[in-house]
Amino acid sequence: LMKPYGYEPGKKYPMVIYIHGGPHSAYGEGWFDEFQNLAAQGMFVLFTNPRGSSGYGADFTYSTRGRWGMEDYEDLMKAVDIVAARPDVDSTKMGATGGSYGGYATAWCSTKFSARFAAGVMFVGISDKVSKVGTTDIPDEEYYVHARKRPWEDWQFLLERSPIYHTANARTPLLILHGKDDPRVNVGQSRELHRHLKLRGQAPVRAVLRLDDSAS
C-alpha cells in the first residue's frame, strides 16, 4: 500500500487498486510511474498479487484457469476490505484500474460488482471472452492457459465470465483506453463494452481510442 504524497495523519484519502496484467505476472520490488502519479494526486495506491499471479508456485498460478472473476476477484476484494477499514481511507471514494487482465478485472469491478467502486479506468482490457478468441493473436494460449474451453464447447460459460454480460449492474463511471494496433487484445473489446454501457445509460462511460498516429 503506497500512501499519498504529503500524507497527513487524521485525514481521509481516496484509494485506487491497481491490478496487474497476465494474470500470470506479479508485482515485486520495482518502480511504477503509475503508482507515483496516483499518489501525487492524493490517493492511496493498493497493489497485490491475487491467485493467478506468478511467483508463488504452479498451483497458485494456474488455480484461476477457467475461473477468471472468481477466486482471483475474491483475493482482490479481501485486500480492498483490509484497506477500506483503515481510518485514513475514504471507502466511498475507491477506484479500480489496470490493463489487459487488469483491464478485465477493472471491467468486472465496474459491472458485475459495481457497488464497490466509485470509478474505474480500464485500458487494453477484455470485456467479451467469446469474441476475444476470434480476434486475438494467441487463441491457443487463451485455451490452454486461460479459459480451458473453446467457445463452441460452452458458449454460455465464456459469456458469463465476460463483463459485457453483466452491464445491467453497472453503476460505476468508467474510462476506457485502447489502441487500434493491439494484437493481443483487439480494440473491439473496448468498443463492445463502451457500446453496451452507452446503450444502457446507467453510468457515465467514455472511450479514448487511439485509432491512427494522430488521434488520441
Side-chain angles (χ1 to χ4, degrees):
L1 182 66
M2 180 178 289
K3 288 184 177 181
Y5 289 171
Y7 174 83
E8 298 177 22
K11 289 184 62 175
K12 281 184 174 288
Y13 295 89
M15 184 276 286
V16 174
I17 182 169
Y18 209 114
I19 307 164
H20 67 61
H24 308 320
S25 62
Y27 289 128
E29 294 294 334
W31 177 275
F32 295 90
D33 290 340
E34 310 95 298
F35 299 174
Q36 304 294 333
N37 290 334
L38 290 168
Q41 298 299 316
M43 305 177 196
F44 277 100
V45 183
L46 171 63
F47 50 106
T48 186
N49 293 322
R51 271 172 282 189
S53 301
S54 56
Y56 303 90
D59 289 344
F60 187 88
T61 298
Y62 295 120
S63 63
T64 58
R65 279 179 167 175
R67 301 183 66 80
W68 280 25
M70 300 175 73
E71 291 85 1
D72 51 343
Y73 177 81
E74 292 175 9
D75 289 350
L76 292 168
M77 292 307 101
K78 287 175 184 176
V80 168
D81 288 341
I82 291 169
V83 175
R86 291 173 57 107
D88 52 3
V89 170
D90 187 343
S91 62
T92 69
K93 295 181 179 179
M94 298 193 301
T97 189
S100 194
Y101 165 79
Y104 167 85
T106 299
W108 199 245
C109 291
S110 302
T111 56
K112 184 172 175 62
F113 294 103
S114 180
R116 294 301 307 270
F117 295 96
V121 179
M122 163 185 142
F123 56 94
V124 297
I126 298 142
S127 69
D128 184 343
K129 294 282 284 180
V130 175
S131 64
K132 166 82 184 308
V133 176
T135 56
T136 184
D137 64 340
I138 54 167
D140 283 335
E141 179 179 318
E142 182 67 22
Y143 169 67
Y144 287 109
V145 179
H146 301 306
R148 301 300 295 155
K149 291 176 185 280
R150 301 291 191 184
W152 52 87
E153 294 172 347
D154 195 338
W155 296 99
Q156 189 64 26
F157 170 81
L158 290 180
L159 185 59
E160 290 180 8
R161 300 265 69 74
S162 302
I164 60 164
Y165 187 75
H166 303 283
T167 52
N169 299 328
R171 299 294 186 275
T172 302
L174 184 65
L175 174 63
I176 301 171
L177 309 174
H178 216 122
K180 73 175 180 66
D181 292 326
D182 188 332
R184 194 111 327 141
V185 182
N186 187 273
V187 66
Q189 294 291 311
S190 286
R191 288 187 182 278
E192 283 190 56
L193 183 60
H194 179 259
R195 179 61 56 84
H196 280 274
L197 292 173
K198 287 290 284 187
L199 286 172
R200 287 193 179 273
Q202 297 167 170
V205 59
R206 183 186 180 197
V208 179
L209 308 178
R210 189 172 183 87
L211 300 178
D212 56 52
D213 291 339
S214 61
S216 61

